[in-house]
Amino acid sequence: MQKLSPRHVLAEESLRLGVESGWYSTKVSGTFVSGPHPTEAACLSRIDEINPPPAKKR
C-alpha cells in the first residue's frame, strides 16, 4: 500500500507543471495520482477510495 497525501497546486505552479490548479493526491515521491479536486476534503475522500484505511482488528 502506498502512502498518499493531499497537495494544493496554485495557479502559478500549475502553469509551470502544465496541470490545472486544484488539489491533487500525490505519492511520497511527488507524483500525482489523482486530481484536480475542487477541495481538500474531496481529495482526501479520493485518497480513502484508493487506499482504504486498514480494518480494525477485534
Side-chain angles (χ1 to χ4, degrees), residues 2-9 13 16-17 19 22-35:
Q2 55 189 331
K3 172 83 169 127
L4 299 177
S5 304
R7 178 172 180 236
H8 190 245
V9 176
E13 189 177 18
R16 183 177 59 82
L17 296 173
V19 298
W23 286 92
Y24 290 84
S25 59
T26 60
K27 295 180 183 179
V28 174
S29 64
T31 304
F32 293 148
V33 176
S34 73

